């Protein structure tokens, strides 16, 4: 039995070989799979459990028993106890973002560094929505294998774009039929921290060139990455994964200021208040000394 109680269902013929920066996608899937089992779940993501099960024993950092800490002051037992609750709050928050932008008329969506995100399958999209998922080829290949095994059917037009966000991903996106200049809802969930500040600036410049007037952008970012890295380090010792490859920091200024500098009108949201709005406790990462660091959720709209 895997941590979190998910049995391995290994239908792959070859070992799972991933770039170091991609393993975080399984952390997100595990958090969503665990949430899906709760009676009071904030969303339901049955495919997340399929991804975790398909990776079997090969998720390198999930070695400890994944149990939540019994009290706020108790150190977490495993990495999911440290970050799982934040992933759940973010997931619900960005689900609501897509409901809102679709209600405002958006029909073109791009999920940057989509990983094992299943919103194309689990959200109730209006007719005519085209959703592009961009991520590294290895992750999307694994994802497609599992989706095929599950005979999963998207609830919108879903277009997969295997591409590196440090390279010429806009051409790959356009080649797949992205409509340049059309109002677009972008999502970068767990994305900016995987890129350097320079790569993030370039990414946003490219998003700006592709976006139509009044496009939307939602993202999360913890700009004090230097604090988060020491917290994560113990979970990666002995796994062979380089945390430096996985966490590159992203923009060094708070993301709302970064977005405003690039021509977006941006609002920051406090993940602790968001958790309370969903009747959930303060996320473990934002207790005690880190309580004031909770402004990690952002929604923005193009000013032109
Ligand atoms: N957005 C997804 C979610 O919320 O579940 C995945 C987030 S996960 C924290 C980070 C994702 O970034 C991984 O799927 C990884 O493969 C992707 N990634 C990292 N570096 C990338 C790059 N240079 N180009 C494209 N994707 C990248």
């Amino acid at each position: 039995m895997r941590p979190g109680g998910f049995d391995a269902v290994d239908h792959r013929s070859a070992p799972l070989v991933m770039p170091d920066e991609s393993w975080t996608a399984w952390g997100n899937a595990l958090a969503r799979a665990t949430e899906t089992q709760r009676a009071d779940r904030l969303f339901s993501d049955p495919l997340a459990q399929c991804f975790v099960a398909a990776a079997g024993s090969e998720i390198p950092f999930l070695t400890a028993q994944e149990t939540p800490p019994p009290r706020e002051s108790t150190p977490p037992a495993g990495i999911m106890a440290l970050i799982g609750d934040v992933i759940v709050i973010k997931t619900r928050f960005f689900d609501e973002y897509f409901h809102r932008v679709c209600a405002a008329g958006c029909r073109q969506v791009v999920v940057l560094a989509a990983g094992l995100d299943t919103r194309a399958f689990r959200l109730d999209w209006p007719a005519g929505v085209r959703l592009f998922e961009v991520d590294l080829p290895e992750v999307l290949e694994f994802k497609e294998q599992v989706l095929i095994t599950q005979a999963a059917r998207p609830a919108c037009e879903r277009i997969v774009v295997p591409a590196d966000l440090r390279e010429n991903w806009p051409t790959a996106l356009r080649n797949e039929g992205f409509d340049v200049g059309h109002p677009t809802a972008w999502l970068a969930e767990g994305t900016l921290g995987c890129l350097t500040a320079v790569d993030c600036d370039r990414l946003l410049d490219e998003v700006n060139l592709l976006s139509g007037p009044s496009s939307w952008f939602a993202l999360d970012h913890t700009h004090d990455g230097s604090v988060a890295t020491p917290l994560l380090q113990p979970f990666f010792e002995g796994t062979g994964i380089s945390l430096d490859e996985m966490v590159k920091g992203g923009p060094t200024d708070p993301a709302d200021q970064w977005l405003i500098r690039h021509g977006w009108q941006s609002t920051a949201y406090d993940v602790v208040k968001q958790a309370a709005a969903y009747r959930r406790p303060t996320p473990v990462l934002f207790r005690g000394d880190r309580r004031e660091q909770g402004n990690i959720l952002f929604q923005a709209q193009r000013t032109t």
Side-chain angles (χ1 to χ4, degrees):
M1 184 80 78
R2 292 292 300 147
F6 302 109
D7 290 314
V9 181
D10 196 344
H11 53 73
R12 286 168 291 102
S13 51
L16 190 54
V17 179
M18 285 289 149
D20 284 357
E21 48 267 64
S22 293
W23 283 114
T24 50
W26 274 264
N28 286 10
L30 182 56
R32 292 173 186 145
T34 304
E35 177 70 9
T36 300
Q37 294 179 332
R38 287 179 65 134
D40 65 345
R41 57 188 163 266
L42 298 180
F43 53 83
S44 177
D45 188 352
L47 287 168
Q49 177 164 347
C50 302
F51 297 131
V52 173
S57 57
E58 295 179 56
I59 306 176
F61 53 88
L62 295 178
T63 49
Q65 184 59 36
E66 300 289 335
T67 52
R71 293 197 320 273
E72 289 209 358
S73 56
T74 311
I79 188 168
M80 297 316 297
L82 183 65
I83 60 172
D85 51 7
V86 173
I87 294 169
V88 167
I89 303 303
K90 289 193 302 180
T91 303
R92 168 65 179 259
F93 179 78
F94 294 128
D95 285 358
E96 290 174 355
Y97 160 72
F98 282 127
H99 285 135
R100 192 174 64 75
V101 297
C102 283
C106 171
R107 295 294 179 267
Q108 181 163 261
V109 170
V110 181
V111 185
L112 296 165
L116 304 174
D117 177 314
T118 63
R119 289 190 176 88
F121 299 86
R122 62 181 183 76
L123 296 190
D124 193 11
W125 299 99
V129 168
R130 307 180 76 222
L131 182 152
F132 298 83
E133 294 183 4
V134 186
D135 207 298
L136 296 170
E138 294 90 336
V139 182
L140 293 177
E141 202 176 304
F142 169 88
K143 185 175 184 177
E144 292 315 296
Q145 282 179 29
V146 175
L147 293 172
I148 289 167
T149 310
Q150 296 301 314
R153 288 193 175 278
C156 59
E157 185 182 349
R158 171 177 176 263
I159 301 128
V160 176
V161 185
D164 190 322
L165 292 171
R166 295 162 296 191
E167 296 173 3
N168 192 3
W169 63 273
T171 297
L173 190 65
R174 282 197 303 266
N175 288 345
E176 292 298 337
F178 176 88
D179 195 351
V180 178
H182 203 73
T184 302
W186 301 87
L187 174 64
E189 183 179 13
T191 306
L192 300 190
C194 300
L195 300 170
T196 64
V198 170
D199 285 334
C200 285
D201 280 347
R202 192 181 311 124
L203 179 82
L204 197 44
D205 287 344
E206 288 161 336
V207 164
N208 283 349
L209 288 173
L210 293 164
S211 294
S214 305
S215 286
W216 305 264
F217 202 161
L219 57 87
D220 65 298
H221 183 51
T222 315
H223 73 278
D224 65 339
S226 54
V227 178
T229 304
L231 286 173
L232 295 176
Q233 189 70 50
F235 300 105
F236 290 88
E237 270 157 23
T239 61
I241 297 178
S242 157
L243 204 51
D244 290 341
E245 282 304 312
M246 191 181 267
V247 182
K248 303 214 176 82
T252 46
D253 44 351
D256 47 349
Q257 292 171 24
W258 177 71
L259 284 160
I260 290 164
R261 268 200 291 118
H262 285 81
W264 294 77
Q265 199 170 46
S266 172
T267 308
Y269 295 82
D270 179 0
V271 72
V272 176
K273 287 191 184 149
Q274 213 54 50
Y278 300 146
R279 299 181 187 278
R280 292 293 168 93
T282 297
V284 174
L285 263 182
F286 295 95
R287 293 178 188 170
D289 302 355
R290 288 179 48 80
R291 169 62 192 93
E292 299 310 314
Q293 310 293 324
N295 277 348
I296 63 162
L297 303 170
F298 303 90
Q299 291 192 23
Q301 191 157 21
R302 281 292 292 170
T303 49
T304 52

